[in-house]
Amino acid sequence: MKPTKLVLLLTALFAFNALYAQDTDEATTVRILTFNILHGATTNGDFDLDKIAAVIHETDPDLVALQEVDFKTNRARNYDLATELGWRTKMAPLFGIAMPFDGGGYGEGILTKMPILSSRNVALPHSPNNEPRAALQVLVQLESGDTISFIGTHLEHKESSPDRIDQVNTINQTFASCQYPSILAGDLNATPNSEPITILKKYWTASDENETLTFPSDDPEIKIDYIFFRPAEKWQVIETKVICDEIASDHCAVLSIFRLVK
């Protein structure tokens, strides 16, 4: 029996709807990576940006938050690390300075495959004898046309300092009221049950429910690298995994794949 015109029409309609749904999912899917890059050095003590770039390239992210990023410092051989890694991974780079250092600058980096609509670099509070810290934000446009906010940061490392508490409070005050769905990523130097993470979780949700360990990369003992998102109802976490390359950096990278809920 030959299929009727109605059957053929319904079959074509179902196929179209399936393809449309697939295209929509792909257009609202975002791959996020956070990676502390040890100012371009490797754990072998040499300087090999290709090893760092390989970790980024293999995870195929849309947005990357980089920490310990040097800009034309003597120790980084006068390289602009964000630009060099952007060139190697075919992503657009952005550097946000936290402090002048060693003939250049030191701070945060972002790499993106998506168009940047705007950016800002926010200085975070710090004690006089501690390193200045920053939070670098971009608004980017997804393939779907939606705008999202992406923030990369690196918090104070001294356990005895109150700076980390002040820094997460500033992050909440500055970014939690953003009108766009937001993702916050970075080396927060705080374990999951610590006070700074508890303060963040008042507004943000962690992508890794398993709290997978991220430091040191050769044999992780603690989790200090995170990806957070908000509002919770606007994001679906598809997958999160930790990538540990013990040579590329002393930190493991964290990859989370999200879908924006329409």
Side-chain angles (χ1 to χ4, degrees):
M1 179 182 296
K2 293 183 178 181
T4 65
K5 289 183 179 180
L6 178 59
V7 171
L8 291 172
L9 179 61
L10 289 174
T11 302
L13 182 60
F14 289 145
F16 173 81
N17 286 339
L19 287 172
Y20 177 78
Q22 181 179 353
D23 289 344
T24 301
D25 287 347
E26 291 178 356
T28 55
T29 297
V30 189
R31 299 173 64 90
I32 303 291
L33 187 75
T34 183
F35 196 16
N36 181 316
I37 61 170
L38 193 61
H39 55 80
T42 74
T43 57
N44 283 338
D46 60 2
F47 189 84
D48 191 343
L49 296 181
D50 290 333
K51 288 189 181 298
I52 299 170
V55 174
I56 299 171
H57 180 73
E58 289 167 9
T59 55
D60 190 27
D62 297 301
L63 288 159
V64 184
L66 300 171
Q67 302 88 51
E68 295 195 21
V69 182
D70 277 20
F71 177 85
K72 296 185 177 294
T73 64
N74 294 317
R75 72 174 175 185
R77 303 180 183 181
N78 204 37
Y79 279 109
D80 169 357
L81 295 187
T83 295
E84 289 291 331
L85 291 171
W87 180 80
R88 285 167 168 80
T89 58
K90 298 182 179 179
M91 302 179 75
L94 183 68
F95 172 73
I97 190 170
M99 66 176 183
F101 178 75
D102 194 23
Y106 176 77
E108 310 304 312
I110 285 177
L111 303 178
T112 176
K113 290 180 181 176
M114 300 170 174
I116 296 176
L117 302 173
S118 65
S119 66
R120 63 172 169 165
N121 191 39
V122 177
L124 299 178
H126 68 95
S127 301
N129 295 326
N130 289 344
E131 289 183 5
R133 303 283 173 162
L136 180 60
Q137 180 195 34
V138 292
L139 298 182
V140 297
Q141 187 175 72
L142 306 188
E143 186 180 338
S144 63
D146 295 286
T147 298
I148 66 168
S149 167
F150 179 62
I151 307 111
T153 194
H154 185 192
L155 303 186
E156 171 59 39
H157 65 282
K158 293 179 183 177
E159 289 292 338
S160 59
S161 171
D163 286 3
R164 212 179 297 156
I165 301 297
D166 295 337
Q167 288 162 4
V168 293
N169 279 326
T170 298
I171 286 171
N172 282 343
Q173 292 164 8
T174 305
F175 301 111
S177 60
C178 180
Q179 69 184 92
Y180 301 109
S182 301
I183 294 173
L184 169 70
D187 171 6
L188 305 186
N189 276 314
T191 54
N193 294 321
S194 65
E195 187 176 358
I197 300 303
T198 300
I199 292 171
L200 278 177
K201 286 182 176 178
K202 293 178 181 178
Y203 298 93
W204 304 83
T205 303
S207 66
D208 183 10
E209 294 180 348
N210 296 323
E211 299 180 350
T212 310
L213 307 181
T214 65
F215 181 86
S217 59
D218 60 343
D219 187 16
E221 298 176 351
I222 57 175
K223 178 176 182 63
I224 56 177
D225 303 271
Y226 298 83
I227 299 174
F228 285 92
F229 60 94
R230 71 171 311 279
E233 67 273 12
K234 292 297 293 183
W235 294 104
Q236 175 190 358
V237 181
I238 300 171
E239 180 184 3
T240 293
K241 61 181 178 180
V242 171
I243 302 98
C244 296
D245 185 317
E246 62 185 61
I247 303 301
S249 176
D250 57 342
H251 284 251
C252 301
V254 181
L255 174 73
S256 288
I257 304 172
F258 296 93
R259 183 169 293 129
L260 182 64
V261 178
K262 304 287 279 184

